[in-house]
Amino acid sequence: MIEVFQTIPYKGVRKMIGKRMEVSGAYPMTYQGMYVDVTDLLAYRKKINAEMGVKLTVNDFIVKAVSLALQRTPIMNSAFNEDMTQIQVYSNYNISVMTASEKGLVAPVIKESEKKTIFQISEEMKELVEKANAGKLLPDDYAGGTFGVTNLGKLNSFDSVPLPQPPQPAIMAACTAKKMAVVVEKDGVDQIVPRMMMKLVIGGDHRILDGVPLASFLNDMKLLLEDPEVLTK
């Protein structure tokens, strides 16, 4: 006999996510991973927050970079139509951001991210997190996502195998950044230096996406996150 010390109702948002994941695990997936040097991003974030009196998070930079990278590989922002006879590529980039709130895991959506600056994304994300913690997210707050992002940075998680929420075709996980020995070239000479490295892992619906668009997307993410000033323009 196994004793039960607690029962947790399987309902609401938790059940909704569970039902979606049942569908997500039923079709073939394809994965790509890449390390990104975020040393300069972490320093730039600290600098711009001090100079401008703002509170940009690493996640804000990630979401902004995702918005720009999706625009460079539009097939990443697509889904099947209702009868699965077409793949529809969307012109709006609505990013579902997985959020561990005090009420459980939720995925509020930054809608039309392509029209927003990183500062607007940051303020909107803070408002959505506040609503999530208070249990006041409305159905519209987590509806209409076209691509998913999950940030594991605070969890000491250095790898991931994320599953997208149907009908979204893909989700990207940003793992915990850690100091690593990296070979860099300076004045024509290879040197080993410590750098803060973050692994990005993207999982995509293999019925829609092949390895090439996933790799192209990650390469753009690397370019953007390693040149963080671009993300605040």
Side-chain angles (χ1 to χ4, degrees):
M1 177 69 71
I2 301 175
E3 294 185 4
V4 176
F5 79 94
Q6 182 185 14
T7 59
I8 301 172
Y10 185 52
K11 63 181 182 178
V13 174
R14 180 70 265 169
K15 188 171 184 178
M16 179 188 71
I17 292 173
K19 291 296 183 182
R20 287 181 180 176
M21 291 300 98
E22 287 177 12
V23 177
S24 184
Y27 53 76
M29 292 288 296
T30 179
Y31 286 92
Q32 294 279 339
M34 183 179 293
Y35 278 102
V36 174
D37 187 339
V38 293
T39 309
D40 293 341
L41 186 154
L42 297 176
Y44 179 67
R45 169 182 167 264
K46 189 175 293 186
K47 174 175 175 286
I48 197 168
N49 281 350
E51 290 179 352
M52 298 187 65
V54 293
K55 293 182 179 179
L56 295 180
T57 66
V58 172
N59 204 49
D60 296 331
F61 282 90
I62 290 170
V63 172
K64 179 61 180 178
V66 165
S67 179
L68 294 174
L70 287 174
Q71 294 172 59
R72 298 177 184 183
T73 310
I75 191 64
M76 299 295 296
N77 195 61
S78 64
F80 284 115
N81 65 342
E82 195 167 317
D83 62 3
M84 295 185 70
T85 58
Q86 296 177 332
I87 296 171
Q88 299 175 323
V89 182
Y90 301 118
S91 56
N92 293 125
Y93 299 84
N94 300 342
I95 302 174
S96 295
V97 185
M98 306 302 155
T99 304
S101 75
E102 294 172 7
K103 303 295 182 180
L105 180 67
V106 292
V109 178
I110 301 292
K111 294 183 171 66
E112 298 187 340
S113 66
E114 75 279 1
K115 299 178 182 178
K116 297 172 181 175
T117 67
I118 190 173
F119 304 102
Q120 292 170 319
I121 288 171
S122 180
E123 288 304 310
E124 187 172 337
M125 198 66 233
K126 288 181 177 65
E127 292 173 6
L128 289 169
V129 169
E130 285 182 9
K131 290 176 70 174
N133 287 334
K136 294 182 179 180
L137 280 177
L138 301 175
D140 186 60
D141 290 326
Y142 46 83
T146 59
F147 185 91
V149 173
T150 181
N151 184 353
L152 308 172
K154 295 181 179 180
L155 302 176
N156 285 325
S157 178
F158 302 106
D159 210 341
S160 180
V161 186
L163 285 172
Q165 294 187 88
Q168 298 172 23
I171 181 172
M172 188 200 76
C175 301
T176 305
K178 61 179 177 179
K179 192 173 290 187
M180 299 176 66
V182 178
V183 178
V184 299
E185 183 180 322
K186 185 175 182 181
D187 299 326
V189 179
D190 286 342
Q191 299 180 0
I192 298 177
V193 297
R195 304 290 290 180
M196 291 297 292
M197 305 297 291
M198 174 191 290
K199 188 175 184 180
L200 303 180
V201 181
I202 187 165
D205 182 344
H206 215 334
R207 299 170 301 173
I208 297 175
L209 302 169
D210 297 317
V212 172
L214 267 65
S216 176
F217 173 84
L218 285 182
N219 273 291
D220 284 326
M221 286 295 299
K222 178 177 173 65
L223 290 172
L224 290 162
L225 292 176
E226 291 184 355
D227 187 14
E229 293 187 33
V230 172
L231 302 174
T232 56
K233 292 181 178 178

